[in-house]
PDB file of all heavy atoms in Angstrom:
ATOM      1  N   ALA A  67      95.261 115.266 105.229  1.00 96.00           N
ATOM      2  CA  ALA A  67      94.636 114.480 106.308  1.00 96.00           C
ATOM      3  C   ALA A  67      93.340 113.839 105.816  1.00 96.00           C
ATOM      4  O   ALA A  67      93.069 112.668 106.101  1.00 96.00           O
ATOM      5  CB  ALA A  67      94.383 115.355 107.529  1.00 96.00           C
ATOM      6  N   ARG A  68      92.526 114.601 105.044  1.00 94.00           N
ATOM      7  CA  ARG A  68      91.280 114.043 104.496  1.00 94.00           C
ATOM      8  C   ARG A  68      91.575 112.884 103.538  1.00 94.00           C
ATOM      9  O   ARG A  68      90.848 111.898 103.508  1.00 94.00           O
ATOM     10  CB  ARG A  68      90.468 115.114 103.777  1.00 94.00           C
ATOM     11  CG  ARG A  68      89.712 116.051 104.688  1.00 94.00           C
ATOM     12  CD  ARG A  68      88.726 116.930 103.936  1.00 94.00           C
ATOM     13  NE  ARG A  68      89.292 117.652 102.809  1.00 94.00           N
ATOM     14  CZ  ARG A  68      89.952 118.813 102.886  1.00 94.00           C
ATOM     15  NH1 ARG A  68      90.128 119.397 104.065  1.00 94.00           N
ATOM     16  NH2 ARG A  68      90.414 119.403 101.809  1.00 94.00           N
ATOM     17  N   LEU A  69      92.635 113.015 102.765  1.00 94.00           N
ATOM     18  CA  LEU A  69      92.974 111.981 101.786  1.00 94.00           C
ATOM     19  C   LEU A  69      93.545 110.715 102.431  1.00 94.00           C
ATOM     20  O   LEU A  69      93.613 109.677 101.782  1.00 94.00           O
ATOM     21  CB  LEU A  69      93.960 112.531 100.753  1.00 94.00           C
ATOM     22  CG  LEU A  69      93.391 113.609  99.821  1.00 94.00           C
ATOM     23  CD1 LEU A  69      94.503 114.214  98.972  1.00 94.00           C
ATOM     24  CD2 LEU A  69      92.270 113.040  98.948  1.00 94.00           C
ATOM     25  N   GLU A  70      93.925 110.792 103.688  1.00 93.00           N
ATOM     26  CA  GLU A  70      94.468 109.618 104.381  1.00 93.00           C
ATOM     27  C   GLU A  70      93.433 108.509 104.526  1.00 93.00           C
ATOM     28  O   GLU A  70      93.801 107.351 104.751  1.00 93.00           O
ATOM     29  CB  GLU A  70      95.020 110.003 105.755  1.00 93.00           C
ATOM     30  CG  GLU A  70      96.335 110.723 105.679  1.00 93.00           C
ATOM     31  CD  GLU A  70      96.875 111.086 107.057  1.00 93.00           C
ATOM     32  OE1 GLU A  70      96.652 110.315 108.016  1.00 93.00           O
ATOM     33  OE2 GLU A  70      97.536 112.134 107.163  1.00 93.00           O
ATOM     34  N   SER A  71      92.158 108.812 104.355  1.00 92.00           N
ATOM     35  CA  SER A  71      91.121 107.772 104.404  1.00 92.00           C
ATOM     36  C   SER A  71      91.292 106.792 103.247  1.00 92.00           C
ATOM     37  O   SER A  71      90.856 105.649 103.329  1.00 92.00           O
ATOM     38  CB  SER A  71      89.728 108.394 104.341  1.00 92.00           C
ATOM     39  OG  SER A  71      89.472 108.886 103.025  1.00 92.00           O
ATOM     40  N   ARG A  72      91.909 107.261 102.159  1.00 94.00           N
ATOM     41  CA  ARG A  72      92.149 106.469 100.943  1.00 94.00           C
ATOM     42  C   ARG A  72      90.859 106.088 100.231  1.00 94.00           C
ATOM     43  O   ARG A  72      90.866 105.263  99.326  1.00 94.00           O
ATOM     44  CB  ARG A  72      92.973 105.204 101.220  1.00 94.00           C
ATOM     45  CG  ARG A  72      94.191 105.395 102.099  1.00 94.00           C
ATOM     46  CD  ARG A  72      95.340 106.052 101.399  1.00 94.00           C
ATOM     47  NE  ARG A  72      96.515 106.043 102.272  1.00 94.00           N
ATOM     48  CZ  ARG A  72      97.303 107.099 102.442  1.00 94.00           C
ATOM     49  NH1 ARG A  72      97.080 108.208 101.809  1.00 94.00           N
ATOM     50  NH2 ARG A  72      98.343 107.017 103.240  1.00 94.00           N
ATOM     51  N   ARG A  73      89.732 106.688 100.621  1.00 92.00           N
ATOM     52  CA  ARG A  73      88.439 106.386 100.000  1.00 92.00           C
ATOM     53  C   ARG A  73      87.599 107.656  99.865  1.00 92.00           C
ATOM     54  O   ARG A  73      87.685 108.553 100.687  1.00 92.00           O
ATOM     55  CB  ARG A  73      87.642 105.408 100.846  1.00 92.00           C
ATOM     56  CG  ARG A  73      88.276 104.065 101.018  1.00 92.00           C
ATOM     57  CD  ARG A  73      87.399 103.181 101.909  1.00 92.00           C
ATOM     58  NE  ARG A  73      88.122 102.011 102.336  1.00 92.00           N
ATOM     59  CZ  ARG A  73      88.200 100.890 101.627  1.00 92.00           C
ATOM     60  NH1 ARG A  73      87.606 100.817 100.480  1.00 92.00           N
ATOM     61  NH2 ARG A  73      88.879  99.867 102.091  1.00 92.00           N
ATOM     62  N   SER A  74      86.753 107.655  98.838  1.00 90.00           N
ATOM     63  CA  SER A  74      85.791 108.742  98.702  1.00 90.00           C
ATOM     64  C   SER A  74      84.767 108.626  99.834  1.00 90.00           C
ATOM     65  O   SER A  74      84.637 107.574 100.461  1.00 90.00           O
ATOM     66  CB  SER A  74      85.093 108.659  97.342  1.00 90.00           C
ATOM     67  OG  SER A  74      84.401 107.432  97.211  1.00 90.00           O
ATOM     68  N   ALA A  75      84.041 109.702 100.083  1.00 88.00           N
ATOM     69  CA  ALA A  75      83.064 109.714 101.174  1.00 88.00           C
ATOM     70  C   ALA A  75      82.013 108.620 101.016  1.00 88.00           C
ATOM     71  O   ALA A  75      81.563 108.032 102.001  1.00 88.00           O
ATOM     72  CB  ALA A  75      82.396 111.080 101.266  1.00 88.00           C
ATOM     73  N   ASP A  76      81.626 108.321  99.765  1.00 91.00           N
ATOM     74  CA  ASP A  76      80.620 107.276  99.534  1.00 91.00           C
ATOM     75  C   ASP A  76      81.222 105.878  99.449  1.00 91.00           C
ATOM     76  O   ASP A  76      80.503 104.894  99.276  1.00 91.00           O
ATOM     77  CB  ASP A  76      79.795 107.581  98.286  1.00 91.00           C
ATOM     78  CG  ASP A  76      80.629 107.586  97.007  1.00 91.00           C
ATOM     79  OD1 ASP A  76      81.827 107.226  97.036  1.00 91.00           O
ATOM     80  OD2 ASP A  76      80.071 107.978  95.960  1.00 91.00           O
ATOM     81  N   GLY A  77      82.545 105.770  99.553  1.00 87.00           N
ATOM     82  CA  GLY A  77      83.216 104.480  99.519  1.00 87.00           C
ATOM     83  C   GLY A  77      83.311 103.847  98.141  1.00 87.00           C
ATOM     84  O   GLY A  77      83.793 102.719  98.006  1.00 87.00           O
ATOM     85  N   MET A  78      82.897 104.563  97.111  1.00 91.00           N
ATOM     86  CA  MET A  78      82.879 104.006  95.754  1.00 91.00           C
ATOM     87  C   MET A  78      84.211 104.145  95.018  1.00 91.00           C
ATOM     88  O   MET A  78      84.424 103.497  94.006  1.00 91.00           O
ATOM     89  CB  MET A  78      81.763 104.660  94.929  1.00 91.00           C
ATOM     90  CG  MET A  78      80.372 104.431  95.511  1.00 91.00           C
ATOM     91  SD  MET A  78      79.941 102.679  95.645  1.00 91.00           S
ATOM     92  CE  MET A  78      79.712 102.281  93.938  1.00 91.00           C
ATOM     93  N   GLU A  79      85.078 104.994  95.508  1.00 93.00           N
ATOM     94  CA  GLU A  79      86.378 105.195  94.876  1.00 93.00           C
ATOM     95  C   GLU A  79      87.484 104.991  95.900  1.00 93.00           C
ATOM     96  O   GLU A  79      87.311 105.311  97.076  1.00 93.00           O
ATOM     97  CB  GLU A  79      86.496 106.613  94.311  1.00 93.00           C
ATOM     98  CG  GLU A  79      85.509 106.925  93.221  1.00 93.00           C
ATOM     99  CD  GLU A  79      85.534 108.380  92.813  1.00 93.00           C
ATOM    100  OE1 GLU A  79      86.068 109.226  93.569  1.00 93.00           O
ATOM    101  OE2 GLU A  79      85.006 108.682  91.743  1.00 93.00           O
ATOM    102  N   HIS A  80      88.574 104.470  95.431  1.00 94.00           N
ATOM    103  CA  HIS A  80      89.756 104.284  96.264  1.00 94.00           C
ATOM    104  C   HIS A  80      90.758 105.352  95.830  1.00 94.00           C
ATOM    105  O   HIS A  80      91.111 105.426  94.649  1.00 94.00           O
ATOM    106  CB  HIS A  80      90.310 102.881  96.035  1.00 94.00           C
ATOM    107  CG  HIS A  80      91.217 102.403  97.098  1.00 94.00           C
ATOM    108  ND1 HIS A  80      91.751 101.151  97.097  1.00 94.00           N
ATOM    109  CD2 HIS A  80      91.703 102.975  98.215  1.00 94.00           C
ATOM    110  CE1 HIS A  80      92.521 100.979  98.141  1.00 94.00           C
ATOM    111  NE2 HIS A  80      92.504 102.077  98.835  1.00 94.00           N
ATOM    112  N   TRP A  81      91.193 106.192  96.768  1.00 95.00           N
ATOM    113  CA  TRP A  81      92.111 107.284  96.476  1.00 95.00           C
ATOM    114  C   TRP A  81      93.504 106.923  96.959  1.00 95.00           C
ATOM    115  O   TRP A  81      93.723 106.714  98.152  1.00 95.00           O
ATOM    116  CB  TRP A  81      91.666 108.559  97.180  1.00 95.00           C
ATOM    117  CG  TRP A  81      90.361 109.104  96.726  1.00 95.00           C
ATOM    118  CD1 TRP A  81      89.703 108.853  95.546  1.00 95.00           C
ATOM    119  CD2 TRP A  81      89.536 110.021  97.434  1.00 95.00           C
ATOM    120  NE1 TRP A  81      88.531 109.556  95.496  1.00 95.00           N
ATOM    121  CE2 TRP A  81      88.401 110.281  96.645  1.00 95.00           C
ATOM    122  CE3 TRP A  81      89.648 110.634  98.669  1.00 95.00           C
ATOM    123  CZ2 TRP A  81      87.397 111.139  97.038  1.00 95.00           C
ATOM    124  CZ3 TRP A  81      88.642 111.497  99.071  1.00 95.00           C
ATOM    125  CH2 TRP A  81      87.534 111.745  98.260  1.00 95.00           C
ATOM    126  N   LEU A  82      94.437 106.869  96.032  1.00 97.00           N
ATOM    127  CA  LEU A  82      95.813 106.542  96.376  1.00 97.00           C
ATOM    128  C   LEU A  82      96.701 107.713  95.996  1.00 97.00           C
ATOM    129  O   LEU A  82      96.679 108.170  94.853  1.00 97.00           O
ATOM    130  CB  LEU A  82      96.262 105.281  95.630  1.00 97.00           C
ATOM    131  CG  LEU A  82      95.396 104.045  95.853  1.00 97.00           C
ATOM    132  CD1 LEU A  82      95.887 102.895  94.987  1.00 97.00           C
ATOM    133  CD2 LEU A  82      95.383 103.653  97.317  1.00 97.00           C
ATOM    134  N   ASN A  83      97.470 108.180  96.945  1.00 97.00           N
ATOM    135  CA  ASN A  83      98.359 109.324  96.731  1.00 97.00           C
ATOM    136  C   ASN A  83      99.728 108.994  97.301  1.00 97.00           C
ATOM    137  O   ASN A  83      99.834 108.576  98.452  1.00 97.00           O
ATOM    138  CB  ASN A  83      97.809 110.571  97.450  1.00 97.00           C
ATOM    139  CG  ASN A  83      96.441 110.953  96.947  1.00 97.00           C
ATOM    140  OD1 ASN A  83      96.310 111.641  95.958  1.00 97.00           O
ATOM    141  ND2 ASN A  83      95.398 110.476  97.624  1.00 97.00           N
ATOM    142  N   TRP A  84     100.755 109.189  96.486  1.00 98.00           N
ATOM    143  CA  TRP A  84     102.133 108.996  96.924  1.00 98.00           C
ATOM    144  C   TRP A  84     102.914 110.280  96.682  1.00 98.00           C
ATOM    145  O   TRP A  84     102.780 110.900  95.624  1.00 98.00           O
ATOM    146  CB  TRP A  84     102.832 107.897  96.116  1.00 98.00           C
ATOM    147  CG  TRP A  84     102.409 106.500  96.390  1.00 98.00           C
ATOM    148  CD1 TRP A  84     102.936 105.657  97.313  1.00 98.00           C
ATOM    149  CD2 TRP A  84     101.400 105.744  95.704  1.00 98.00           C
ATOM    150  NE1 TRP A  84     102.324 104.416  97.251  1.00 98.00           N
ATOM    151  CE2 TRP A  84     101.370 104.456  96.267  1.00 98.00           C
ATOM    152  CE3 TRP A  84     100.510 106.039  94.665  1.00 98.00           C
ATOM    153  CZ2 TRP A  84     100.503 103.466  95.825  1.00 98.00           C
ATOM    154  CZ3 TRP A  84      99.634 105.062  94.232  1.00 98.00           C
ATOM    155  CH2 TRP A  84      99.642 103.788  94.816  1.00 98.00           C
ATOM    156  N   VAL A  85     103.750 110.675  97.640  1.00 98.00           N
ATOM    157  CA  VAL A  85     104.686 111.761  97.386  1.00 98.00           C
ATOM    158  C   VAL A  85     105.933 111.143  96.761  1.00 98.00           C
ATOM    159  O   VAL A  85     106.311 110.009  97.081  1.00 98.00           O
ATOM    160  CB  VAL A  85     105.037 112.566  98.663  1.00 98.00           C
ATOM    161  CG1 VAL A  85     103.823 113.334  99.161  1.00 98.00           C
ATOM    162  CG2 VAL A  85     105.622 111.678  99.754  1.00 98.00           C
ATOM    163  N   ILE A  86     106.538 111.888  95.859  1.00 98.00           N
ATOM    164  CA  ILE A  86     107.743 111.434  95.171  1.00 98.00           C
ATOM    165  C   ILE A  86     108.943 112.022  95.898  1.00 98.00           C
ATOM    166  O   ILE A  86     109.048 113.234  96.054  1.00 98.00           O
ATOM    167  CB  ILE A  86     107.768 111.909  93.708  1.00 98.00           C
ATOM    168  CG1 ILE A  86     106.517 111.468  92.954  1.00 98.00           C
ATOM    169  CG2 ILE A  86     109.050 111.421  93.005  1.00 98.00           C
ATOM    170  CD1 ILE A  86     106.347 112.152  91.590  1.00 98.00           C
ATOM    171  N   ALA A  87     109.845 111.141  96.328  1.00 98.00           N
ATOM    172  CA  ALA A  87     111.069 111.577  97.012  1.00 98.00           C
ATOM    173  C   ALA A  87     112.282 111.086  96.241  1.00 98.00           C
ATOM    174  O   ALA A  87     112.307 109.941  95.767  1.00 98.00           O
ATOM    175  CB  ALA A  87     111.112 111.032  98.437  1.00 98.00           C
ATOM    176  N   LEU A  88     113.266 111.962  96.127  1.00 97.00           N
ATOM    177  CA  LEU A  88     114.556 111.523  95.613  1.00 97.00           C
ATOM    178  C   LEU A  88     115.175 110.585  96.639  1.00 97.00           C
ATOM    179  O   LEU A  88     114.760 110.569  97.806  1.00 97.00           O
ATOM    180  CB  LEU A  88     115.466 112.724  95.372  1.00 97.00           C
ATOM    181  CG  LEU A  88     114.978 113.719  94.316  1.00 97.00           C
ATOM    182  CD1 LEU A  88     115.874 114.946  94.287  1.00 97.00           C
ATOM    183  CD2 LEU A  88     114.916 113.063  92.939  1.00 97.00           C
ATOM    184  N   ARG A  89     116.191 109.840  96.274  1.00 94.00           N
ATOM    185  CA  ARG A  89     116.819 108.909  97.207  1.00 94.00           C
ATOM    186  C   ARG A  89     117.401 109.608  98.431  1.00 94.00           C
ATOM    187  O   ARG A  89     117.550 109.003  99.484  1.00 94.00           O
ATOM    188  CB  ARG A  89     117.903 108.083  96.497  1.00 94.00           C
ATOM    189  CG  ARG A  89     117.344 107.017  95.568  1.00 94.00           C
ATOM    190  CD  ARG A  89     116.607 105.967  96.371  1.00 94.00           C
ATOM    191  NE  ARG A  89     116.086 104.918  95.508  1.00 94.00           N
ATOM    192  CZ  ARG A  89     116.128 103.651  95.802  1.00 94.00           C
ATOM    193  NH1 ARG A  89     116.672 103.237  96.921  1.00 94.00           N
ATOM    194  NH2 ARG A  89     115.615 102.770  94.988  1.00 94.00           N
ATOM    195  N   ASP A  90     117.702 110.920  98.300  1.00 95.00           N
ATOM    196  CA  ASP A  90     118.208 111.658  99.471  1.00 95.00           C
ATOM    197  C   ASP A  90     117.077 112.099 100.406  1.00 95.00           C
ATOM    198  O   ASP A  90     117.312 112.714 101.432  1.00 95.00           O
ATOM    199  CB  ASP A  90     119.057 112.851  99.042  1.00 95.00           C
ATOM    200  CG  ASP A  90     118.256 113.955  98.352  1.00 95.00           C
ATOM    201  OD1 ASP A  90     117.002 113.891  98.285  1.00 95.00           O
ATOM    202  OD2 ASP A  90     118.894 114.910  97.862  1.00 95.00           O
ATOM    203  N   GLY A  91     115.827 111.800 100.027  1.00 96.00           N
ATOM    204  CA  GLY A  91     114.678 112.113 100.872  1.00 96.00           C
ATOM    205  C   GLY A  91     113.928 113.377 100.501  1.00 96.00           C
ATOM    206  O   GLY A  91     112.832 113.611 101.013  1.00 96.00           O
ATOM    207  N   ALA A  92     114.481 114.205  99.630  1.00 97.00           N
ATOM    208  CA  ALA A  92     113.818 115.457  99.249  1.00 97.00           C
ATOM    209  C   ALA A  92     112.555 115.166  98.437  1.00 97.00           C
ATOM    210  O   ALA A  92     112.595 114.411  97.460  1.00 97.00           O
ATOM    211  CB  ALA A  92     114.769 116.331  98.438  1.00 97.00           C
ATOM    212  N   LEU A  93     111.437 115.765  98.854  1.00 98.00           N
ATOM    213  CA  LEU A  93     110.182 115.599  98.128  1.00 98.00           C
ATOM    214  C   LEU A  93     110.172 116.509  96.906  1.00 98.00           C
ATOM    215  O   LEU A  93     110.584 117.668  96.975  1.00 98.00           O
ATOM    216  CB  LEU A  93     108.994 115.920  99.029  1.00 98.00           C
ATOM    217  CG  LEU A  93     108.849 115.055 100.283  1.00 98.00           C
ATOM    218  CD1 LEU A  93     107.574 115.411 101.041  1.00 98.00           C
ATOM    219  CD2 LEU A  93     108.889 113.570  99.952  1.00 98.00           C
ATOM    220  N   ILE A  94     109.680 115.962  95.779  1.00 98.00           N
ATOM    221  CA  ILE A  94     109.705 116.732  94.532  1.00 98.00           C
ATOM    222  C   ILE A  94     108.376 116.719  93.785  1.00 98.00           C
ATOM    223  O   ILE A  94     108.261 117.320  92.727  1.00 98.00           O
ATOM    224  CB  ILE A  94     110.823 116.232  93.590  1.00 98.00           C
ATOM    225  CG1 ILE A  94     110.608 114.772  93.204  1.00 98.00           C
ATOM    226  CG2 ILE A  94     112.187 116.445  94.241  1.00 98.00           C
ATOM    227  CD1 ILE A  94     111.525 114.296  92.082  1.00 98.00           C
ATOM    228  N   GLY A  95     107.346 116.054  94.314  1.00 98.00           N
ATOM    229  CA  GLY A  95     106.053 116.021  93.647  1.00 98.00           C
ATOM    230  C   GLY A  95     105.195 114.893  94.176  1.00 98.00           C
ATOM    231  O   GLY A  95     105.450 114.350  95.252  1.00 98.00           O
ATOM    232  N   PHE A  96     104.181 114.536  93.393  1.00 98.00           N
ATOM    233  CA  PHE A  96     103.309 113.430  93.780  1.00 98.00           C
ATOM    234  C   PHE A  96     102.739 112.735  92.555  1.00 98.00           C
ATOM    235  O   PHE A  96     102.722 113.286  91.457  1.00 98.00           O
ATOM    236  CB  PHE A  96     102.170 113.890  94.708  1.00 98.00           C
ATOM    237  CG  PHE A  96     101.159 114.797  94.065  1.00 98.00           C
ATOM    238  CD1 PHE A  96     100.118 114.295  93.294  1.00 98.00           C
ATOM    239  CD2 PHE A  96     101.223 116.169  94.259  1.00 98.00           C
ATOM    240  CE1 PHE A  96      99.181 115.137  92.711  1.00 98.00           C
ATOM    241  CE2 PHE A  96     100.289 117.018  93.691  1.00 98.00           C
ATOM    242  CZ  PHE A  96      99.265 116.499  92.909  1.00 98.00           C
ATOM    243  N   VAL A  97     102.297 111.503  92.767  1.00 98.00           N
ATOM    244  CA  VAL A  97     101.494 110.758  91.799  1.00 98.00           C
ATOM    245  C   VAL A  97     100.246 110.306  92.542  1.00 98.00           C
ATOM    246  O   VAL A  97     100.276 110.115  93.761  1.00 98.00           O
ATOM    247  CB  VAL A  97     102.240 109.539  91.198  1.00 98.00           C
ATOM    248  CG1 VAL A  97     103.356 109.980  90.274  1.00 98.00           C
ATOM    249  CG2 VAL A  97     102.760 108.604  92.266  1.00 98.00           C
TER     250      VAL A  97
END
């Protein structure tokens, strides 16, 4: 939930997080 802002608290960094899903929808990790 905190990472959903996509930014650091000071606004100097942009945080991008993706979950990795197989085509069947199963989550297997993140980048």
